[in-house]
Amino acid sequence: MDDAMTALPLVFDAPRRGMPPRHLADLSREEARAAVAELGQPAFRADQLARHFYRGVTDPAQMTDLPIAVRETLTEALLPGLLTVVRHQTADNGRTRKTLWRLHDGALVESVLMRYPDRATVCISSQAGCGMACPFCATGQAGLTRNLSAAEIIGQAVAAAAAMANGELDGGPGRLSNVVFMGMGEPLANYARVRKTLDALLAPAPHGLGLSQRSVTVSTVGLVPAIRRLTEEGLHVTLAVSLHAPDDELRDTLVPINTRWKVGEVVAAADAYAARTGRRYSVEYALIRDVNDQPERADHLGKLLAGKLAHVNLIPLNPTPGSPWDASPLPAQREFVARLRAAGVATTVRDTRGQDIDGACGQLAASDAEPGVPSIAVPVPSVEQPVELGAEGDE
Ligand code: SAH
């Protein structure tokens, strides 16, 4: 047994099969420079390639700062195309766009780009499928296919940044400002590659997208050792914890990994992260009619979180095919919000962008079916929607 055992339990070691060819975005700057040198080129060409990649340039013909003779070689060796668009679907007047990507081995994943008046957010996938098996989430139903490589995850954000820069979403050219790991997969079950992705999102050009830590959100079912590791590594990205129930009995059924790490441990790990970063974490809670939306559960959740550096983000359940469950009716939502606020817990209700293209939270279940056939699902990020239920400024 090696010391990798100490990092995360083996249960999270997804199959390595299907991993894509090496890509510049999988490498550290030093490794990239060494790889370029191995190809007989000066090391600074790694920086040139990085600049092109993070700007979304993949066509060698456009890499005019590289000698023609080496463009193809370097591109093939370090910028292999890993993500192929199968299709785009737009909603919300052209301001939400879901993309279905095919990976080199045929695996499918989705990402969703959402434009708001003050920001543009992309929701990205960290795994093809998901092994967490939450019964209300479409992605969880098909199980895990494989982890994505860092370059496959980063590529989704780079494509979104390029789409914004090129004005591909309604509203003209803009800038990608936020990234949320709320697409397919459990990001903390693919820790090392997600960690690399965070570095790339945060690094300034030419080695990354230059996003701010607070505008990047990692959402997790609550893999406690991985939350601790994130804390120890001194990251300040926004942490979202998918709680969905304040009590272990119910959470054991809604988020099956709860049988391993209990509500109390998950909240304690998130508290430690908040203490280290000084930043509020977000508690995700899908409101499911007559399952977890009772007034007494709101009170229980309020007690659990009162006085903590946390805010609750309620997500009216997005129904998934074949599930008997439904979103909580509005009066139940209002009551839930009111009780949490009465307990002193900041609470907002998430807007569900992209619902009609199965692009909302928990709806991503990439398949290659015809558009319009309700089979796709990828969770979409958040937007606080203070309108109906009374505003409570987030952040
Ligand atoms: N594995 C990560 C990311 C998943 S998706 C996690 O669990 O946090 C992002 C959010 O969407 C999670 O909070 C998830 O629980 C929620 N979600 C999943 N299915 C949903 C559904 N059908 N309706 C509403 N939210 C859902």
Side-chain angles (χ1 to χ4, degrees):
M1 294 292 126
D2 61 28
D3 60 6
M5 292 285 292
T6 59
L8 280 179
L10 280 179
V11 61
F12 298 127
D13 283 358
R16 286 191 63 82
R17 93 189 120 76
M19 290 310 269
R22 176 184 73 169
H23 188 285
L24 182 89
D26 296 314
L27 307 177
S28 67
R29 186 173 180 210
E30 293 66 39
E31 288 166 343
R33 291 167 68 90
V36 165
E38 260 170 45
L39 294 165
Q41 288 298 309
F44 68 81
R45 301 239 182 275
D47 297 346
Q48 292 175 307
L49 288 172
R51 183 170 284 110
H52 290 306
F53 172 69
Y54 285 106
R55 284 185 183 157
V57 174
T58 48
D59 177 6
Q62 289 179 44
M63 303 181 186
T64 50
D65 56 344
L66 295 169
I68 290 181
V70 300
R71 282 182 206 166
E72 298 275 354
T73 321
L74 287 178
T75 307
E76 269 170 34
L78 287 162
L79 299 179
L82 300 179
L83 299 164
T84 307
V85 175
V86 177
R87 66 167 170 272
H88 296 297
Q89 283 173 272
T90 54
D92 306 315
N93 296 319
R95 291 179 172 241
T96 299
R97 186 173 82 169
K98 182 174 74 167
T99 304
L100 176 66
W101 303 100
R102 189 188 313 283
L103 309 181
H104 82 107
D105 59 346
L108 298 169
V109 295
E110 291 177 306
S111 59
V112 187
L113 177 57
M114 289 152 290
R115 178 175 209 153
Y116 301 97
D118 58 335
R119 68 190 188 283
T121 300
V122 68
C123 175
I124 58 175
S125 295
S126 55
Q127 299 181 310
C130 184
M132 297 297 123
C134 302
F136 55 89
C137 173
T139 312
Q141 302 319 296
L144 179 64
T145 302
R146 69 168 168 88
N147 279 325
L148 301 194
S149 70
E152 287 171 329
I153 309 172
I154 295 164
Q156 298 167 57
V158 168
M164 286 306 297
N166 298 335
E168 289 174 33
L169 252 62
D170 202 64
R175 198 181 74 82
L176 179 74
S177 56
N178 295 67
V179 174
V180 298
F181 287 80
M182 293 188 183
M184 302 170 75
E186 167 50 44
L188 295 187
N190 188 13
Y191 191 93
R193 299 178 190 94
V194 165
R195 181 72 184 79
K196 268 191 199 171
T197 302
L198 293 175
D199 288 340
L201 298 178
L202 303 174
H207 297 285
L209 288 179
L211 300 178
S212 73
Q213 299 230 26
R214 61 183 303 123
S215 62
V216 175
T217 300
V218 173
S219 180
T220 177
V221 287
L223 303 187
V224 167
I227 296 174
R228 290 201 190 114
R229 199 162 147 195
L230 212 54
T231 311
E232 284 155 16
E233 290 182 3
L235 283 165
H236 290 197
V237 295
T238 302
L239 177 68
V241 171
S242 298
L243 207 61
H244 305 310
D247 53 300
D248 287 318
E249 193 184 351
L250 179 59
R251 193 168 192 265
D252 281 350
T253 67
L254 294 180
V255 185
I257 200 68
N258 193 68
T259 55
R260 178 74 191 265
W261 292 289
K262 299 293 180 193
V263 170
E265 292 173 88
V266 172
V267 170
D271 285 342
Y273 186 79
R276 173 81 181 246
T277 60
R279 310 237 1 254
R280 283 203 295 182
Y281 60 94
S282 152
V283 169
E284 311 295 294
Y285 198 107
L287 280 173
I288 313 174
R289 184 202 290 256
D290 298 333
V291 172
N292 65 353
D293 64 348
Q294 304 84 350
E296 54 277 17
R297 283 219 159 74
D299 293 342
H300 190 162
L301 186 64
K303 261 200 206 106
L304 184 70
L305 298 176
K308 296 190 180 297
L309 213 48
H311 83 275
V312 173
N313 205 338
L314 298 169
I315 319 166
L317 183 83
N318 295 304
T320 59
S323 162
W325 289 334
D326 207 353
S328 303
L330 258 182
Q333 292 182 33
R334 289 206 179 98
E335 177 75 16
F336 210 90
V337 171
R339 284 176 182 253
L340 282 171
R341 289 189 182 156
V345 177
T347 305
T348 47
V349 176
R350 181 177 295 180
D351 148 36
T352 45
R353 277 265 187 135
Q355 228 173 358
D356 49 339
I357 51 169
D358 291 327
C361 265
Q363 292 191 312
L364 302 190
S367 85
D368 207 357
E370 286 306 302
V373 175
S375 59
I376 311 197
V378 166
V380 163
S382 82
V383 165
E384 281 68 26
Q385 161 222 307
V387 204
E388 279 267 84
L389 296 142
E392 163 91 24
D394 175 27
E395 306 288 70

